[in-house]
Amino acid sequence: MTAGEPTPQNSASQHAQTKNSGVGTATEPGSALSENTLDALLCFDVYAASRALTRAYRPLLEPLGLTYPQFLVMQSLWETEALALPEQFTPPTVGALGERLALDSGTLSPLLKRLEAAGLVVRERSRQDEREVAVLLTTLGRELRAQASHVPAEITRLVALTERERLTLQATLRRMRRNVEQTGE
C-alpha cells in the first residue's frame, strides 16, 4: 500500500457509509475530494445543527403560539426588561433589537408585526426622534415569560452537552462569526 491509499478497514467503513447514506464520503486526508464534500464543510455542520435545534424548539413553542424567531425576539425583550432597574429602564429600539439578534429590518419588522398582532408587544415612535421605534412588552407578553421558562432547560437537556462543552462551543461559534463578519466587510 502506498501513502494516502485507504486501508482495507477505512475503505470498508467508507463503503458502509456510502451504502447506508447513498452518498459518497471521500474525506480522508490526502483525498482529492476531501475538501469538496459535505463532510468537509464546516458550514454544513453548523447549518444542520441549527436546523436540528430549530426543530427541537417547535413542539416546545407551538403551545405558546411562538415560532423560533419570535421566541428569540421575546427572549431578548424579557432579558432587557429583567436586567434593567425599573427607574432606568429604556425599551430597546427596533434597531437595537435587530443588532442584538443579528436580524435586518426586513426580517425583524414582520416578526414584530406578528407579535404585535398577537398582543405580545407594542411598537411606539420615540417623541425625541421619530426615526426610532421602541419595542415594549405588553402585560400578555410579560406573562408569557413564565409559560416559556421551561424552554431553555429542555433544550439544554436535549443538546446533552456539559456546561464546559457548551461554553467552549459558544465561544468558538462567536469567534467564527466575528471572523467571518470582519472578513466580509
Side-chain angles (χ1 to χ4, degrees), residues 112-179:
L112 292 173
K113 191 174 186 177
R114 286 191 293 277
L115 290 171
E116 194 167 28
L120 300 173
V121 302
V122 293
R123 293 178 287 175
E124 292 182 358
R125 289 219 175 268
S126 168
R127 290 187 179 120
Q128 291 82 16
D129 185 349
E130 285 191 16
R131 294 171 297 178
E132 289 190 351
V133 177
V135 182
L136 299 115
L137 289 166
T138 63
T139 301
L140 187 60
R142 281 186 198 89
E143 290 171 354
L144 189 61
R145 183 178 188 189
Q147 296 172 44
S149 64
H150 71 287
V151 173
E154 184 60 21
I155 292 298
T156 297
R157 184 190 69 74
L158 289 171
V159 169
L161 295 176
T162 66
E163 180 70 4
R164 185 180 193 153
E165 289 170 328
R166 182 186 65 80
L167 291 171
T168 300
L169 178 59
Q170 282 182 305
T172 302
L173 290 171
R174 288 172 182 166
R175 188 175 76 240
M176 182 180 78
R177 179 177 160 204
R178 276 191 312 271
N179 292 344

Side-chain angles (χ1 to χ4, degrees), residues 69-81:
Q70 290 170 339
F71 172 73
L72 295 179
V73 170
M74 294 302 292
Q75 182 66 38
S76 183
L77 293 171
W78 293 327
E79 285 174 18
T80 301
E81 212 171 81

Side-chain angles (χ1 to χ4, degrees), residues 7-18:
T7 64
Q9 187 177 28
N10 288 345
S11 180
S13 171
Q14 279 188 345
H15 177 71
Q17 284 178 340
T18 301

Side-chain angles (χ1 to χ4, degrees), residues 24-55:
T25 56
T27 59
E28 287 195 33
S31 168
L33 296 176
S34 66
E35 292 179 17
N36 297 322
T37 64
L38 286 178
D39 290 345
L41 296 176
L42 174 63
C43 61
F44 178 72
D45 288 317
V46 171
Y47 170 76
S50 175
R51 289 194 35 90
L53 273 172
T54 302
R55 277 192 309 275

